[in-house]
């Protein structure tokens, strides 16, 4: 089953630091709850794993991520990720991520992601109807971690642009955020349900 | 021992024979929870089997790791195709001339295909062990669209058939092509179309659905290593065929194989084929020397057992401007899934689809069916279809409506105009079927009068004229003829065994009787209806006639129950066997009364001397005599067996009319009225007929209004649980009105034609006809099923009719 | 998995058995107690073939653990007839031809039994709604409705003469 994603996430991080993080695949993997890069196979090719838990059922996706293209001038990264779980699910993701600076505010940027995800096996059979919503939620978690990680990087040099002074309300934690050891499907589902109910009453989740 | 003095009418009533709506003899055990279904069976030392299934639709198997599963306490064995190879059982023949993998042999062809089996002490351990088996797959591109499957570069599904250009049914044109089968006269049909003043064409898809009986498939296989005998309790609609197949596959002589179909919780064609699970359980039992039980769960049932339909049909009609049909052409692409495991008579890879000229006198016709492999569950023939009669009737009834709309003719009028007339029977159709009898016009008039058809059309016209009408009203009319009772052995066989059927009857000394047949009831009430046939033939109360089916060690050989064949074939065998007994009884009675046989009359339950009512012998008295002192020249005892090879199929027919209202805001359909008139010839038990009609109409409602088996592009079957698969509850199910006419079959010993697939065959196009009719004034000629609220709502939106 | 000792009254008899905590009630009834009347038709709790009566409620035993029945009173179809006399619902299904293959029947009977205590004088629509947790593939429900109506009438007559 195929899911197409085309998302734009405004971030209160400057484009330079965002791109610095994006180009570091190991660190980016660290922003995905339950994910890690375990081994570098070659230049731009890595073995990775994602652990997903839904109640007592745990799926361990083992797979490979290949960076197909890195274009620093465009702050663009294209990658292909493939994983399979021994229990009978598999997923393939073709992702293009681009950081575009915010013309109005050099301290901000936009993380653009276009992806085609194909999910096969048990997850497709039984989770199909929730695929889009669950993907949205996972991505939202990822983006928040990405943002915090990027903000924790040392600020870029002042050359060519206004020094991005930390504004009063921008959180700048000393260390990268603590990312959950596994992707908790039930927690996501619960958040989904809460969001749906909230939507019924006109509130934005 | 003398029967009490009673009128003939009273004795007739006491007999509860043919025509009586007598209550069922089998109910006692079911209403007290004492049925005996396969999963109820427990045997000493019995183990449980569960199946490891493929999570993806098309893949190579790189590695199967059994260690973790084998290490679990309580696990006795884990078997894969490699373990079946030495026994040559990793592949098995299908009923359609193809082969099917018993366990995936290096390659997976459809999602949920059987890959490995685990045998364990109980079902919980077996389920845990299934999760522990590790299989490494290399995914391949899947193809789920049969048209895409026939493209030049399409993925190769059946590598085991590489290079085989001849299939079981002729030439194979492409690696995913199975067969092309045709019937009728193409030249005559083409000529009719070339000169026709009016032609219409319509493409339609009869979507893939699943019979989903409430009891899933399963078996308990028990090989006795000391006696060298195999006994298997199995959910099978054809136990004798299973015995023959099992003997051929296992090498155990048929005389040492016993197959028992106990009580079966619904078949509907889902329990005809031999599934890998059965073969594996039998192998496991032989290997381990212990009984092995395998019962699938609902997801497995929907995902891996015989589905129904999936016919993509292109129909064409040629006609005169006033609606007389001149010719019919049909082309079908048939999606059989990964293996052609259809349960069809050998010579008919498209079943009896060529009944598609229907109830109409069509002079020239041709149909062609192209079978295709895809990465989906194997099968195609199931679900009360009478061997593709569902598809055929759907096609012709849709086409007649399309023609009616083109010519702006009333849908009842165009049918009446084209009916085969009563005087034309027996009628040979353009496809070669010899229809035995029918009177369509009488039945149609009866239905139209009963519903006040004119008033309905007037109401519809008024609603159409009102732009604010909250609903769209649709009237669906279907006048179908089906072909059942397979069938004459010269054209109908299953794996070479002719499709006759059988009955053996034995009358006991004290006047009760036992009878066994080669069919097997799955709810059709044979224990009651068969006893009723015998009761009338022999004058023994049906209450004391014991009917048994399903045990191949005691029942005479038969081809089983499906395709509405029990009454036409086994019912005939019953009558013929009973008549043999009746003839012998007549001789004995004549001897006892010291008259010639010609001086005797038969009345209800006795032989009476003509002109002297006081001189008679009841069948019970004759039975005693047969065991006490038969006349010279006659053997003792009173029994007979008959194997009946039918001379022809039978042709029941029906007229169904549906009125429904579609809510313009939601797309929801409310069935206002459904009038179903069936003619199945002689009616044995009207109550049982009516019950089955209700059931078939409800299954038809489910198919037309909500059932589907949606596969995504990768071959994942989305919606294989009852969360998604629409089984109507008492709330959605409409109220049914039933009616009948009786046009006996002239070639059948009791004039009966068979019934109970007809409501499914006939109702599905009726619902579709009504839905389309609701939109007909906007030029809509066809809408594919299912007619769920969402799909209908989309049509409302497209046509700017939504409120 | 360590077993737990439970004590449950089934059809009037106290049963003390050791069960794994994960054992479903349907399997406990069918395999441990040999009460094979309740059937398994699905694994998503839709079909109702497993319906039994626990402490005055219709319960689908496929989604109920045996250990949850500690101290409870369970009634199955085998316990409906009393001293060889069929219960009104059983008689109704027989008289009105409310069954064909019989697989859904025990669940239907147990649900009808409880439903008529919840609603002794139901309308047809109320019967359809009240029985909507039990699926049938053979009958189309029409005669099942008549069977429940028959039983309702008989139970009221019995109550009137009691």
């Amino acid at each position: 089953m195929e899911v197409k994603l085309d998302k734009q996430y405004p971030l209160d991080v400057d484009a330079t630091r965002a791109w610095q993080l994006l180009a570091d695949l190991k660190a980016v993997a660290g922003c995905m709850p339950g994910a890690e890069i375990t081994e570098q196979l070659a230049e731009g090719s890595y073995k990775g794993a994602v652990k997903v838990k839904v109640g007592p059922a745990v799926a361990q996706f083992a797979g490979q991520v290949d960076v197909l293209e890195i274009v620093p001038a465009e702050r663009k990264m294209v990658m292909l990720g493939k994983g399979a779980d021994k229990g009978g699910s598999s997923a393939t993701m073709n992702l293009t991520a681009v950081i575009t600076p915010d013309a109005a505010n050099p301290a901000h940027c936009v993380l653009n992601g276009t992806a085609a995800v194909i999910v096969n096996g048990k997850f497709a059979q039984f989770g199909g109807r929730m695929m889009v919503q669950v993907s949205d939620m996972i991505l939202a978690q990822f983006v928040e971690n990405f943002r915090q990680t990027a903000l924790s990087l040392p600020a870029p040099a002042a050359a060519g642009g206004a020094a991005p002074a930390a504004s009063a309300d921008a959180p700048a934690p000393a260390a990268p955020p603590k990312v959950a050891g596994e992707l908790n499907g039930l927690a996501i589902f619960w958040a989904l349900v809460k969001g749906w109910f909230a939507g019924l009453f006109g509130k934005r989740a | 021992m003398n029967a009490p003095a009673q009128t003939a009418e009273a004795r007739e009533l006491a007999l509860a024979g043919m025509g009586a709506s007598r209550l069922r003899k089998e109910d006692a055990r079911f209403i007290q929870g004492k049925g005996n279904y396969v999963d109820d069976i427990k045997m000493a030392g019995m183990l449980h089997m569960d199946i490891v299934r493929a999570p993806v639709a098309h893949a190579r198997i790189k590695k199967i790791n059994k260690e973790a599963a084998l290490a679990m306490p309580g696990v006795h064995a884990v078997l894969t195709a490699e373990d079946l190879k030495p026994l040559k059982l990793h592949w098995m023949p299908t009923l359609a001339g193809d082969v099917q993998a018993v366990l995936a042999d290096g390659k997976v062809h459809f999602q949920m295909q059987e890959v490995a089996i685990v045998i364990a002490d109980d079902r919980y351990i077996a389920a845990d062990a299934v999760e522990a088996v590790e299989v490494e797959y290399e995914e391949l591109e899947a193809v789920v669209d049969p048209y895409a499957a026939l493209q030049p570069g399409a993925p190769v599904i059946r590598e085991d058939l590489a290079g085989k250009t001849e299939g079981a049914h002729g030439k194979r044109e492409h690696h995913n092509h199975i067969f092309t089968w045709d019937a009728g006269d193409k030249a005559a049909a083409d000529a009719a179309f070339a000169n026709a003043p009016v032609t219409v064409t319509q493409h339609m898809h009869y979507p893939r659905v699943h019979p989903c009986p409430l009891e899933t498939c399963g078996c308990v296989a028990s090989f006795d290593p000391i006696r060298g005998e195999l006994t298997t309790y199995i959910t099978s609609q054809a136990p004798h065929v299973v015995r023959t197949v099992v003997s051929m596959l296992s090498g155990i002589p048929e005389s040492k194989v016993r197959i028992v179909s106990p009580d079966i919780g619904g078949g509907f064609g889902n329990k005809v084929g031999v599934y890998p699970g059965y073969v594996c359980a039998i192998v496991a039992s032989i290997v381990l020397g212990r009984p092995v039980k395998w019962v699938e769960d609902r997801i497995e049932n929907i995902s891996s057992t015989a589905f129904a339909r999936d016919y993509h049909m292109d129909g064409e009609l040629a006609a005169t401007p006033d609606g007389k049909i001149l010719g019919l052409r049909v082309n079908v692409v048939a999606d059989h899934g990964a293996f052609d495991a259809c349960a069809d008579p050998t010579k008919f890879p498209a079943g009896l689809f060529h009944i598609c000229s229907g109830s109409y006198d069509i002079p020239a016709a041709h149909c062609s069916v192209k079978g295709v492999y895809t990465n989906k569950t194997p099968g195609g023939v199931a679900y009360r279809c009478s061997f593709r009669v569902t598809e055929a009737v759907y096609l012709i009834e849709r086409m007649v409506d399309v023609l009616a709309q083109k010519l702006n003719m009333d849908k009842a009028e165009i049918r009446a105009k084209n009916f085969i007339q009563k005087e034309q029977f027996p009628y040979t159709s353009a496809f070669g079927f010899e229809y035995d009898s029918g009177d369509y016009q009488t039945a149609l008039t009866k239905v139209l009068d009963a519903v006040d058809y004119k008033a309905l059309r007037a109401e519809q016209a008024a609603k159409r004229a009102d732009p604010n009408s909250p609903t769209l009203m649709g009237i669906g009319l279907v006048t179908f003829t089906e072909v059942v009772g397979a069938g004459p052995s010269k054209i109908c066989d299953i794996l070479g065994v002719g499709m006759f059927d059988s009955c053996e009857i034995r009358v006991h000394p004290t006047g009760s009787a036992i009878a066994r047949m080669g069919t097997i009831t799955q709810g059709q009430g044979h224990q009651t209806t068969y006893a009723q046939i015998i009761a009338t033939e022999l004058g023994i109360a049906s209450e004391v006639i014991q009917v048994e089916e399903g045990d191949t060690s005691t029942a005479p050989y038969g081809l089983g129950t499906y395709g509405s064949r029990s009454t036409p074939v086994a019912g005939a065998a019953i009558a013929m066997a009973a008549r043999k007994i009746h003839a012998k009884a007549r001789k004995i009675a004549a001897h006892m009364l010291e008259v010639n046989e010609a001086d005797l009359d038969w009345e209800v339950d006795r032989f009476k001397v003509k002109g002297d009512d006081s001189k008679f012998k009841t069948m019970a008295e004759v039975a005693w005599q047969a065991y006490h002192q038969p006349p010279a020249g006659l053997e003792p005892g009173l029994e007979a067996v008959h194997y009946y090879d039918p001379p022809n199929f039978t042709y029941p027919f029906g007229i169904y009319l549906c009125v429904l209202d579609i809510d313009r805001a939601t797309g929801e359909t409310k069935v206002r009225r459904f009038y179903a008139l069936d003619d199945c010839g002689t009616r044995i038990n009207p109550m049982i007929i009516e019950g089955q009609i209700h059931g078939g109409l409800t299954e038809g409602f489910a198919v037309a209004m909500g059932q589907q088996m949606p596969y995504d592009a990768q071959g994942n079957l989305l919606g294989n649980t009852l969360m998604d698969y629409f089984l109507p509850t008492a709330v959605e199910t409409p109220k049914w009105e039933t009616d009948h006419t009786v046009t006996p079959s002239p070639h059948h010993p009791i004039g009966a034609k068979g019934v109970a697939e007809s409501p499914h065959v006939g109702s599905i196009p009726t619902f579709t006809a009504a839905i389309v009719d609701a939109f007909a004034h906007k030029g809509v000629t066809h809408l594919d099923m299912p007619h769920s609220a969402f799909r209908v709502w989309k049509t409302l939106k497209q046509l700017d009719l939504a409120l | 998995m360590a077993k737990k000792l439970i004590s449950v009254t089934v059809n009037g008899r106290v049963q003390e058995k050791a069960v794994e905590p994960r054992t479903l009630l349907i399997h406990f009834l069918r395999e441990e107690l040999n009460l094979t009347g309740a059937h398994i038709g699905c694994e998503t709790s839709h079909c109702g073939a497993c319906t039994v009566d626990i402490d005055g409620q219709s319960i689908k035993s496929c989604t109920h653990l045996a250990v949850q029945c500690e101290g409870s009173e369970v009634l199955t179809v085998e316990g409906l007839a009393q001293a060889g006399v069929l219960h009104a619902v059983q008689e109704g299904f027989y008289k009105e031809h409310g069954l064909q293959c019989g697989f859904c029947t025990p669940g239907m009977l147990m649900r009808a039994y409880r439903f008529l205590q919840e609603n002794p004088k139901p309308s047809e629509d109320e019967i359809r709604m009240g029985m909507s947790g039990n699926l049938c593939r053979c009958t189309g429900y029409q005669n099942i409705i008549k069977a429940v109506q028959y039983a309702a009438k008989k139970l009221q007559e019995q109550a009137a003469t009691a």
Side-chain angles (χ1 to χ4, degrees), chain B residues 449-787:
Chain B
D449 286 347
V451 303
D452 195 354
Y453 182 68
K454 283 201 180 67
L456 287 171
R457 285 291 179 201
E459 183 195 341
Q460 184 184 47
K463 287 200 159 102
R464 282 176 174 169
D466 172 12
N468 299 317
S469 170
T471 60
L472 293 181
M473 177 180 166
I475 303 168
L477 173 68
V478 155
T479 56
F480 67 93
T481 296
E482 53 165 3
V483 54
V484 301
S489 63
K490 64 182 188 293
I491 49 172
C492 292
D493 68 90
I494 299 270
L495 291 179
V497 182
M499 293 183 75
F500 58 85
D501 228 282
S502 61
C503 171
E504 142 197 302
I505 306 172
R506 178 170 302 131
V507 182
H508 299 313
T510 47
S512 59
I514 184 164
R516 300 185 174 107
M517 301 78 181
T519 49
I520 172 72
T521 192
Q522 314 118 37
Q524 294 92 329
H526 291 176
Q527 286 186 284
T528 305
T529 56
Y530 285 178
Q532 290 178 255
I533 300 176
I534 299 172
T536 297
E537 295 284 335
L538 294 185
I540 298 172
S542 59
E543 192 59 33
V544 299
I545 299 174
Q546 198 74 355
V547 170
E548 288 182 359
E549 291 171 300
D551 186 336
T552 62
S553 289
T554 50
Y557 203 105
L559 275 289
T561 294
Y562 43 81
S564 300
R565 66 185 299 277
S566 300
T567 300
V569 193
I574 295 168
M576 301 303 278
R579 285 168 198 181
K580 284 176 178 167
I581 292 175
H582 189 104
K584 179 170 176 178
R586 178 177 274 266
K587 286 186 165 54
I588 296 174
H591 174 81
M592 290 166 87
L593 291 164
E594 295 173 323
V595 296
N596 289 318
E597 282 187 60
D599 297 325
L600 288 176
D601 278 334
W602 168 260
E603 185 194 82
V604 182
D605 60 350
R606 60 196 56 182
F607 294 98
K608 287 165 48 163
V609 175
K610 285 189 163 103
D612 187 350
D613 274 3
S614 70
K615 289 216 181 92
F616 63 86
K617 289 293 168 196
T618 62
M619 183 58 78
E621 292 172 303
V622 168
W624 180 259
Q625 188 69 27
Y627 285 88
H628 163 63
Q629 220 169 65
L634 287 183
E635 282 175 30
L638 195 57
E639 66 187 60
V641 64
H642 192 92
Y643 287 83
Y644 186 77
D645 192 352
N648 189 3
F649 300 98
T650 55
Y651 302 80
F653 60 94
I655 316 282
Y656 288 178
L657 191 141
C658 172
V659 184
L660 47 79
D661 302 288
I662 299 173
D663 184 318
R664 287 173 63 190
T666 61
E668 274 180 270
T669 299
K670 193 100 179 79
V671 173
R672 201 202 297 181
R673 202 165 179 187
F674 198 105
Y675 199 92
L677 183 151
D678 276 275
D679 190 317
C680 59
T682 305
R683 289 152 61 85
I684 303 168
N685 184 322
M687 175 191 84
I688 287 183
I689 292 173
E690 187 188 65
Q692 287 202 77
I693 302 285
H694 291 165
L697 293 174
T698 303
E699 288 189 328
F701 170 75
V703 169
M705 306 306 287
Q707 286 180 345
Q708 46 183 339
M709 300 181 74
Y711 283 85
D712 67 18
Q714 291 72 42
N716 294 299
L717 175 51
L718 316 165
N720 56 355
T721 72
L722 296 187
M723 287 192 291
D724 294 294
Y725 195 68
F726 176 53
L727 295 189
T729 70
V731 170
E732 296 89 29
T733 305
K735 286 203 256 273
W736 311 112
E737 294 170 75
T738 59
D739 195 356
H740 67 278
T741 55
V742 180
T743 313
S745 170
H747 70 74
H748 190 278
I750 58 172
K753 290 186 175 181
V755 74
E757 281 178 315
S758 47
H760 194 74
V761 165
S763 66
I764 293 167
T766 311
F767 290 113
T768 298
I771 297 275
V772 174
D773 186 68
F775 292 101
H777 58 305
K778 294 291 182 181
V780 173
T781 58
H782 182 70
L783 291 165
D784 272 341
M785 303 182 284
H787 306 297

Side-chain angles (χ1 to χ4, degrees), chain B residues 387-421:
Chain B
F387 301 121
R388 301 283 186 189
V389 177
T390 32
E391 291 85 322
V393 166
Y394 189 79
L395 183 285
I396 187 63
E397 290 301 302
R398 295 275 56 251
M399 290 314 302
V400 170
D401 272 3
V402 170
L403 179 64
Q405 282 181 218
K406 171 92 181 244
L407 299 175
N408 212 14
M409 262 181 91
D410 177 83
K411 289 163 177 170
E413 193 195 322
I414 196 172
R415 287 172 160 80
K417 191 181 186 106
N418 285 284
F419 274 161
I420 303 164
Q421 296 302 320

Side-chain angles (χ1 to χ4, degrees), chain B residues 104-272:
Chain B
D105 183 15
K107 192 176 185 218
V108 165
H109 298 84
F110 65 95
Q111 187 179 55
M112 297 294 275
Q113 183 180 357
E114 301 82 358
V115 171
I117 58 166
V118 307
I119 318 288
D121 283 340
D122 66 50
R123 62 180 83 219
Y124 285 55
I125 297 172
D128 285 343
V130 162
E131 299 290 308
V133 176
E134 290 170 6
V135 188
E136 253 177 69
Y137 297 101
E138 178 196 308
E139 286 178 42
L140 300 168
E141 191 195 335
V143 55
V144 294
D145 178 321
Y147 293 97
L150 288 176
Q151 295 304 306
V156 177
I157 300 173
R158 296 292 300 277
E159 288 171 353
D160 60 294
L161 298 178
K164 291 210 174 106
T165 51
E166 283 291 319
H169 306 287
K171 275 205 145 356
R172 293 182 64 219
E173 308 156 356
H174 178 284
H175 52 266
N176 291 329
H177 177 244
I178 311 174
F179 63 82
T180 299
W181 177 88
D182 74 328
D185 185 336
K186 188 163 195 313
D190 286 346
F193 274 84
N195 302 317
V198 179
T199 58
V200 286
T201 81
Q202 181 66 55
H203 178 81
M204 59 190 86
H205 181 218
Y206 204 137
R208 180 179 276 239
V209 286
H210 192 279
C212 212
L214 206 62
E215 179 204 28
T216 59
C217 301
C219 68
V220 179
S222 177
F223 182 71
D224 180 338
I226 291 170
R227 289 181 177 78
E229 292 171 5
L230 173 69
T231 301
T232 304
Y233 296 89
I234 184 173
T235 52
S236 175
Q237 295 174 237
H240 289 93
V241 174
V242 171
R243 185 186 74 188
T244 305
V245 169
V246 165
S247 172
M248 293 203 286
L249 288 180
S250 66
I252 302 172
E254 236 180 308
S255 51
K256 291 192 169 206
V257 176
R258 179 181 173 217
I259 303 293
V260 182
S261 295
D263 289 324
I264 299 182
F268 312 123
N270 188 224
K271 294 171 173 164
V272 177

